[in-house]
Amino acid sequence: MLLILLLIELILLTLILLPSMAFSSDYYLLDLLSNFQLHFLLLALFLSIPLLLKSLKIGAISAAVSILLFASNHLWLFSKAQPLETESLNEPLKLHIVQANLSYFNPVLRTAVEELNSLNADLYLFYEFNQKQKPLFLEITGKRYKFGDGDYDGFPDGMGVISKYPLINIKKHKILPRKGTVITLTLQLPKQNLDLILLHPPSPRNLDKWQKRNVLLGSVQPLVEFTKSKHVLVAGDFNTTPWSNHFPRHHLLTPCYQQTGMYASWHAHKYLHPYGWLTGLPIDHCLTSNSIKVTQFKTHSLPGSDHLALDYKISLTD
């Protein structure tokens, strides 16, 4: 029995290490498994309990090694962590942003959108907005600025934007022939501009979609190089976690995850929402340039969607 427990523990320790293994990013199943690193840690710690009962020394060593491996694998993620800012009357303009994967086939889309609209955000970034729901999009837009409801290629990759401020320099970058568009645009603020890069790679449900997802994520770095403003925000449903080797990284960008700490935006079932990152995965993300500070961050449950909406504020520094 002890040997079986030790074998299972060894497998879990290997799975915890997956993200740090360079070759894991080359294999479909290994890359998917690496997303559940935190959950493998929890299982390893849980398994340490019967090991402690069998052998106090072995159980203690097992728990310690599990924690050390996980911590060492995540030190890079939080090594440049920036503290979450608090409100201050002297701070510059704050931009209230809500980004949400609404689900293409959301049966209660109107309810979900109305709930988000009641948050009165300055900028809404919608993902998986169904083209057939264009009348609802126009209805909620009102007199605000919008993008995504074009006649021929409306809501590219399901993306739509509603903004309190003008949207200029809108470009659709066709990275892949079908469902492979990255949107770049500029938000014209009163005193300065904010460059946005928006994307929604496919969910890696099979090898082909996994490869396409990786191509889309890989397009972020060169697009950042072409931005003209020093203020840059990359946002989207990346369909991967921050510790994946395919997560887009750039020396000018800091993932919001480093500023907010652990959160989850996707759970296998809505009943798991209350347990946060213990039962879910962070696959919806924002990345900001060093001139942008995240001042508030929270998630909202969305009726009819398996994603949580991200609700945060950013301030642009000179």
Side-chain angles (χ1 to χ4, degrees):
M1 184 64 179
L2 181 60
L3 287 176
I4 295 174
L5 289 174
L6 285 172
L7 179 60
I8 297 173
E9 188 77 354
L10 182 61
I11 293 172
L12 289 172
L13 292 177
T14 304
L15 291 171
I16 291 172
L17 275 173
L18 270 180
S20 62
M21 300 177 182
F23 68 86
S24 67
S25 62
D26 299 329
Y27 297 94
Y28 171 57
L29 290 178
L30 290 181
D31 181 58
L32 293 189
L33 285 172
S34 70
N35 289 316
F36 295 92
Q37 185 192 37
L38 174 60
H39 305 94
F40 293 137
L41 168 68
L42 296 176
L43 287 173
L45 292 176
F46 182 78
L47 191 62
S48 297
I49 298 173
L51 281 174
L52 282 167
L53 297 176
K54 292 287 184 180
S55 169
L56 182 63
K57 184 177 180 180
I58 293 176
I61 292 174
S62 172
V65 170
S66 301
I67 294 172
L68 285 173
L69 288 178
F70 180 81
S72 64
N73 217 17
H74 276 65
L75 282 177
W76 68 268
L77 188 62
F78 296 101
S79 61
K80 297 181 180 178
Q82 302 172 17
L84 197 64
E85 300 285 338
T86 55
E87 294 285 352
S88 170
L89 294 175
N90 298 322
E91 285 183 339
L93 170 71
K94 286 188 174 62
L95 193 67
H96 182 191
I97 301 173
V98 170
Q99 68 179 78
N101 183 315
L102 298 167
S103 179
Y104 284 120
F105 306 105
N106 192 327
V108 286
L109 181 62
R110 176 173 287 276
T111 301
V113 168
E114 286 178 350
E115 286 188 13
L116 293 177
N117 207 27
S118 67
L119 297 173
N120 196 30
D122 299 312
L123 181 67
Y124 287 93
L125 307 175
F126 290 135
Y127 299 86
E128 293 198 15
F129 206 105
N130 197 318
Q131 171 70 6
K132 295 180 180 179
Q133 297 291 342
K134 179 178 175 178
L136 175 59
F137 183 80
L138 296 175
E139 178 185 330
I140 62 172
T141 299
K143 296 181 179 180
R144 292 173 290 185
Y145 301 93
K146 58 183 172 59
F147 162 77
D149 62 328
D151 293 332
Y152 301 104
D153 57 348
F155 306 111
D157 288 7
M159 293 184 284
V161 180
I162 296 177
S163 170
K164 175 182 175 182
Y165 300 99
L167 303 170
I168 60 174
N169 302 327
I170 299 172
K171 294 181 181 178
K172 290 177 276 189
H173 305 267
K174 201 71 174 175
I175 308 298
L176 295 170
R178 186 173 179 271
K179 290 187 176 181
T181 302
V182 177
I183 308 299
T184 59
L185 64 158
T186 300
L187 191 66
Q188 203 170 32
L189 299 171
K191 295 183 179 180
Q192 50 201 329
N193 290 339
L194 171 66
D195 282 345
L196 301 172
I197 300 175
L198 312 178
L199 66 158
H200 182 205
S203 176
R205 294 189 175 97
N206 55 48
L207 180 60
D208 179 62
K209 290 185 177 180
W210 174 72
Q211 291 172 335
K212 290 178 178 177
R213 182 207 69 178
N214 298 341
V215 171
L216 264 292
L217 292 174
S219 70
V220 170
Q221 187 169 9
L223 286 173
V224 172
E225 298 293 337
F226 287 106
T227 54
K228 296 180 179 179
S229 170
K230 73 171 185 176
H231 307 301
V232 182
L233 172 69
V234 180
D237 171 6
F238 291 179
N239 276 308
T240 195
T241 56
W243 46 86
S244 166
N245 288 319
H246 292 289
F247 188 84
R249 294 182 179 88
H250 193 283
H251 69 281
L252 295 177
L253 298 178
T254 301
C256 289
Y257 198 82
Q258 285 185 227
Q259 300 185 59
T260 63
M262 290 186 179
Y263 69 89
S265 63
W266 176 87
H267 297 77
H269 198 282
K270 65 179 180 180
Y271 295 122
L272 297 174
H273 287 176
Y275 305 103
W277 53 267
L278 291 173
T279 54
L281 292 174
I283 62 174
D284 297 88
H285 301 283
C286 56
L287 296 83
T288 65
S289 57
N290 295 330
S291 61
I292 297 177
K293 304 296 182 185
V294 177
T295 55
Q296 292 179 341
F297 185 95
K298 51 192 169 184
T299 58
H300 296 285
S301 184
L302 277 175
S305 175
D306 57 348
H307 287 249
L308 299 180
L310 306 186
D311 180 348
Y312 52 97
K313 292 183 180 180
I314 62 172
S315 58
L316 283 60
T317 60
D318 294 328

